[in-house]
Structure formats: C-alpha cells, structure tokens
Amino acid sequence: MSQETISREVVVGIEQGLHARPADLVAREARKWRSRIEFVADRQRADGKSILELLTLAAEAGTRLVVEATGPDAREAVDAIGRLFDRNFTEQT
Amino acid sequence: MKFSDFVATDAILADVDADTKQAVIREMAEALVEAGKIAPAELEGIVKAIMKREDLGSTGIGRGVAVPHTKHPSVDRLVGTVAVSRKGIDFESLDGEPVHLFFLLVSPPDRPGDHLRALENISRQLRDEGFCRRLKASGTPADIAHLLAEADGHGVVT
C-alpha cells in the first residue's frame, strides 16, 4: 500500500474557535482512517486523532491550519476532514 | 493563560467520592459555590447546563482528562476548579479511558477566547505525562494547587 502524504489547508470558521466540541468531531473523523493525521499550525503540530492535542492549537476563528495525512487512505482522510471545516461543522457525516 | 487565571484554589477537590459523571460535576459546582465563585441560586442551572453540554458529546478529551463546561450569564469572568478521582470515573471519553482529572469551567457567554485559551493551557500542560501522573497522585487540595502553580512557572520548584 502507498504511504503518500496528502495535505490541504482548512480555515476555522466557527466563531468560538476550535473548542472541545469541534475538536471531538475532528478526532472522531480522523480515527476512522488508517493514515496518520496531523494538523500543522504556525509553530506546532497536533495529532488529529487526539482531542487533547487539537485543543493545544487554540485555533481561533479565522485561523488557517494545514491537515496532513500519511498512509494508505491519506486522500480520503484529508477530504473527509476538509469537509467538516468546509461545512463549518454544521452537518455530521 | 495560566491555571491561576481561572482555577479557584479554594474549590479544588482531591480524591472525590463521586463515581458518576453527574455526581462529580455536581460536587465540583458545589465547591465553586462554597468558594464564592458562583451564586448559590445558580447552582442547579449551572449543573443542568453542564450536563446538557455533555449530552452533545463527552468532554472527556483523552488520557484520563475531562473538561466539563458551560457558558453562563451569572459569571462575569471565567471561573473553574480541578478535581482528582483516584479510582477514575467512566466519562464516555473517545479513547475509552476512565477519567481521573477534571477541569470544570464556567465562562461568561461573550468571552469565547478566554474559554479557548483555558482549554489550550489545560491540554498543553496535560500533554506532559509526568504532570498527569503527579496530579493523579496528589493527596490534598494543597498538593494540587502547588502542582498547578509550578506548572504556571511561579511555584516553588521541588
């Protein structure tokens, strides 16, 4: 299986920032995939499968983050997580 | 943001008796009332609001940590407290681990940034497994307060 790395940028659209509830939804989605998934902010990285790590980003509304997935289903994982942000977490998958 | 910016030292609980989610949340909210941080008349409403938030999805964020919280108009600044459960409480966390460390937060509705920075501080400090372990092993509220102050960088280094 391929171990390609796929990445894309997402923007935090939620007014309150990436607080506990959206972080939970991101981690839940990330855990569906086999790939390693990381969020990259200005000066730090966070494991996308850990709510605790996602909260360390303190990503306020308007923050740009890069989602990076490495593994056999990297593209699908990045697409699915990207959709959460694109829909501003209003629709659950 | 530091722990000292939002943790009411007088409301810290070491080794709580509670063994359910609802019971630990109530015990922590009552401690905030006793510490004078939330009004007695607001207790029921705050407990109910925190439980309603838990219904949306557990605030167990993994590694034995939970951050039950709510916004509430009766507070004019972010207030919170810490509780430790030696035995651990089932909190329906995403990683399935029982929760030993609780950080309860009540924030004014118009201050989402403060809430986010408090969550950041809690999660950043608790990423350190040594800190988690020492908090869990704390025997008294004073021990917990000491560890939090140390993490804030202005405590006595032992």
Side-chain angles (χ1 to χ4, degrees):
Chain A
M1 294 296 278
S2 76
Q3 289 293 314
E4 63 177 335
T5 297
I6 301 288
S7 64
R8 70 158 277 194
E9 188 182 81
V10 293
V11 179
V12 178
I14 310 154
E15 203 184 327
Q16 297 92 340
L18 193 68
H19 59 96
R21 181 69 186 135
D24 175 67
L25 294 173
V26 168
R28 270 176 206 282
E29 183 59 46
R31 282 171 183 244
K32 292 178 187 167
W33 307 96
R34 288 163 62 201
S35 297
R36 183 166 51 86
I37 297 166
E38 288 190 306
F39 278 73
V40 187
D42 279 349
R43 291 190 306 275
Q44 56 172 327
R45 304 178 78 89
D47 178 353
K49 300 185 184 191
S50 161
I51 304 171
L52 187 139
E53 291 226 0
L54 288 166
L55 292 176
T56 65
L57 297 172
E60 295 192 43
T63 304
R64 290 171 185 277
L65 300 168
V66 173
V67 190
E68 205 175 88
T70 304
D73 48 13
R75 182 166 299 280
E76 294 89 335
V78 166
D79 285 350
I81 290 167
R83 272 197 298 276
L84 286 177
F85 284 87
D86 293 344
R87 292 171 179 168
N88 208 17
F89 296 88
T90 49
E91 218 176 300
Q92 299 196 12
T93 48
Chain B
M1 185 176 285
K2 294 177 173 180
F3 286 122
S4 61
D5 293 325
F6 60 93
V7 174
T9 309
D10 294 347
I12 293 175
L13 301 168
D15 200 15
V16 287
D17 293 330
D19 53 10
T20 64
K21 181 187 267 203
Q22 170 128 28
V24 71
I25 286 171
R26 175 168 294 278
E27 212 172 315
M28 293 178 81
E30 283 171 353
L32 280 173
V33 171
E34 279 169 36
K37 298 296 175 183
I38 58 183
E42 306 293 348
L43 174 67
E44 292 308 319
I46 287 173
V47 170
K48 197 176 277 183
I50 293 172
M51 288 307 293
K52 201 170 158 191
R53 166 61 185 84
E54 291 294 329
D55 288 344
L56 291 175
S58 173
T59 59
I61 60 174
R63 298 198 200 176
V65 181
V67 287
H69 60 265
T70 189
K71 292 175 191 158
H72 203 270
S74 69
V75 295
D76 56 12
R77 58 182 293 269
L78 176 62
V79 294
T81 186
V82 181
V84 174
S85 163
R86 292 279 182 83
K87 56 189 180 232
I89 297 174
D90 177 18
F91 223 74
E92 302 150 73
S93 298
L94 186 57
D95 65 4
E97 297 287 322
V99 171
H100 293 271
L101 305 175
F102 302 85
F103 291 78
L104 183 139
L105 304 170
V106 183
S107 55
D110 58 345
R111 302 289 287 274
D114 285 355
H115 175 68
L116 198 65
R117 281 184 287 277
L119 289 177
E120 181 219 357
N121 180 61
I122 293 164
S123 52
R124 190 163 34 80
Q125 299 285 1
L126 294 173
R127 200 157 47 169
D128 175 351
E129 277 179 33
F131 182 61
C132 273
R133 208 170 42 241
R134 290 165 71 202
L135 265 184
K136 278 181 210 171
S138 302
T140 65
D143 289 345
I144 296 169
H146 179 81
L147 281 170
L148 298 180
E150 211 178 283
D152 278 348
H154 53 64
V156 183
V157 179
T158 51

